[in-house]
Amino acid sequence: MSKKIQLPVQKNDEVELKIHDLNHEAMGVGRYEGYTLFVKDALPGEVVKAKVLKTKKNFGYAKVLEILEQSPARMKPPCPIFARCGGCQLQHLAYEEQLKYKEQLVKNDLERIGGLDLNKVNVYPVIGMEKPWRYRNKTQVPIGEEEGGLIGGFYRPRSHDIIDMEACLIQHEQHDQVIQKVKEIGTRLGIPAYNEDKHSGLLRHVVAKYGFATGQLMIVLVTNGEHIPAKNKLVDELVSAFPNLKSIVQNINTKRTNVIFGDESKVLWGEPYIYDKIGDIRFAISARSFFQVNPVQTQVLYEKAMAYADLEGHETVIDAYCGIGTISLFLAQKAKQVLGVEVVPEAVADAKRNARLNGMTNVQFAVGEAEKIIPWWRAQGIKADVIVVDPPRKGCDGSLLKTIIEMKPERVVYISCNPSTLARDIKILEAGGFETREVQPVDMFPHTSHVEVAAKLVVTYSHHLR
Ligand code: SAH
């Protein structure tokens, strides 16, 4: 028989709390009689009256009813829908403090999960943006319908309710105009929005991509089915509204799924790509391929990756999880050769095209899982001087880490969008004979709780001799 544990608080209780920290999702952390409560919108140093929303065995969630003592770092969020929209988490915190929060997040993970001694590793302050607004080059918003017509905006946190928006202050201005225009034209021409519950209707998402270096614009309309009523009129109006438009793509997704894109894409007007640049390298970006969303900070991050790779020109570099080859091409400027591996075939096709576009012949790309392809390369006798990994949020596959340990490259450059899995993987690499030397967090996503990190690990001398 299980005994029901008596918690110090219950749902709907109102409690007074001192907030002492922010968790990974940027919620305030407070303790009530030893029991941890996560309080949305509360900041460290504040005392709040909060209402308990949900309790679990070890922690619960609460919302602020009243701020009794306010933090001096509290800001008035410039966005009018900040409180409802799930896009940003930190607009109420001064930007300098956001950077400190992210630095602490990275340090805590490296210490607690990674087991690193922070007296021996240089973990630098987060590199922030001079202008931390309007930084995103890609926006994808779900479309819905209300009485007045089409609406579009991000979801309310933990829901699929669309919060209609007129402007989003972290995306490029033109994306606002695109979303407004599609809503306006679509409403006028009677193009129905997709209804997720009924799996009916047509327009699911509008995606806008903008090349910061080139000024080129792409609009992608994701539809539940092929036929778009008044399609030509829609296309004509978009073309005349945006003189820098280079591409309109329709992507068809008829599945019941949260995944935005379907498998089939059709160019409705213009080219299948837009171009953008990072440093001196040009990239063709297609509707579905992944491209870093913050071009200003991407350059900062890649320059860090380049410095950590410490290339002299004679090296063989492996770029695992290479996407459309952005890091590979960046490093190929200084390496003898770069081998990239990526699991999505379209991304590899883009990577190869991007290599040709830049006239780079010292890069090769393979389609497949990094954890399968790299051991195969090793069996062919390939030796890597530097291995770069840039995995998705779940981090590197365990067998890939094992292969890296066996291959003993001089240096590993680990690019991560999730400090917890970075720390977990660093622990394994350290146990396998590598030493973490430098860690540089970069703020790619101001006003959200996310942080990007570049870490440099070197093979230890004794491991190298083995
Ligand atoms: N380095 C790229 C992309 C990083 S995103 C850039 O900076 O733009 C992570 C990439 O890893 C995605 O493109 C994803 O498709 C790919 N990926 C995910 N699992 C993989 C695996 N097991 N092996 C190889 N690539 C993988």
Side-chain angles (χ1 to χ4, degrees), residues 394-411:
K394 67 174 188 215
C396 290
D397 188 273
S399 64
L400 174 64
L401 296 172
K402 193 164 162 271
T403 304
I404 293 175
I405 290 166
E406 286 164 5
M407 284 179 93
K408 296 182 193 148
E410 293 284 338
R411 291 174 289 285

Side-chain angles (χ1 to χ4, degrees), residues 72-188:
R74 178 172 283 277
M75 303 291 286
K76 187 175 171 328
C79 171
I81 57 170
F82 170 68
R84 290 178 288 144
C85 174
C88 294
Q89 296 79 39
L90 282 168
Q91 284 194 19
H92 58 316
L93 182 62
Y95 187 57
E96 285 309 309
E97 295 296 319
Q98 293 183 22
L99 298 179
K100 284 189 204 151
Y101 152 69
K102 291 181 185 187
E103 179 182 339
Q104 205 48 51
L105 207 72
V106 172
K107 284 184 169 164
N108 287 349
D109 282 345
L110 290 176
E111 209 165 21
R112 291 180 199 161
I113 304 171
L116 291 187
D117 178 354
L118 295 187
N119 295 317
K120 294 195 185 137
V121 183
N122 292 316
V123 183
Y124 299 106
V126 182
I127 301 177
M129 293 188 82
E130 216 170 289
K131 294 195 195 106
W133 299 100
R134 297 289 189 189
Y135 58 82
R136 285 186 61 102
N137 61 12
K138 179 184 82 173
T139 305
Q140 31 198 34
V141 300
I143 298 296
E145 221 162 309
E146 273 177 1
E147 229 143 80
L150 298 184
I151 58 166
F154 300 113
Y155 295 126
R156 193 190 297 281
R158 285 171 238 283
S159 87
H160 270 200
D161 303 340
I162 295 169
I163 307 293
D164 191 36
M165 70 182 184
E166 279 178 15
C168 171
L169 304 180
I170 62 169
Q171 68 190 13
H172 191 269
E173 278 94 346
Q174 205 166 33
H175 297 183
D176 294 341
Q177 297 158 9
V178 167
I179 295 158
Q180 292 308 79
K181 201 74 198 167
V182 172
K183 288 195 288 194
E184 186 245 302
I185 303 171
T187 301
R188 187 156 35 79

